[in-house]
Amino acid sequence: MSSVHVEQPHSMSVEEAKTALESFAAEIAKYGMKLEWSGNSARLKGTGASGEVSVHDDKVTVTVKLGMIARAAGVKADKLEASISRRLANALSQTA
């Protein structure tokens, strides 16, 4: 199973960062992925992939595990990592 790990620093409160991640959640929903929040962490679920999003005082971490379905569909870990990094940066750079 391939795995992708991305960390994105932020200078917001944890609650502001979670709110900012709503745009990230909307972006990944286009690919059949969804976030299920519990406190400051969310389970990331979708067809062929799973993982976790964690909001810390100074950063957000995203870990995605690609299953066989995603790999068979041609999902490349390096391209996924770049896409997640770009989408996180965009979400966390938006001012409230």
Side-chain angles (χ1 to χ4, degrees):
M1 190 177 287
S2 296
S3 182
V4 171
H5 182 79
V6 176
E7 291 187 3
Q8 179 65 44
H10 69 81
S11 58
M12 308 174 186
S13 72
V14 169
E15 289 305 315
E16 289 170 332
K18 284 176 59 178
T19 299
L21 288 175
E22 290 175 13
S23 65
F24 175 74
E27 286 288 318
I28 65 172
K30 297 175 188 175
Y31 303 100
M33 303 292 291
K34 65 180 179 176
L35 295 179
E36 295 177 352
W37 287 97
S38 176
N40 294 335
S41 295
R43 287 181 36 174
L44 180 65
K45 295 171 61 173
T47 302
S50 63
E52 182 177 25
V53 176
S54 297
V55 180
H56 307 276
D57 291 335
D58 60 347
K59 67 183 174 185
V60 172
T61 60
V62 177
T63 302
V64 178
K65 295 174 186 163
L66 297 175
M68 287 193 340
I69 293 172
R71 290 194 316 256
V75 176
K76 304 285 187 216
D78 58 340
K79 292 190 182 227
L80 178 61
E81 183 175 342
S83 177
I84 291 171
S85 183
R86 183 180 68 250
R87 293 171 196 277
L88 271 181
N90 286 341
L92 294 171
S93 69
Q94 297 175 9
T95 56

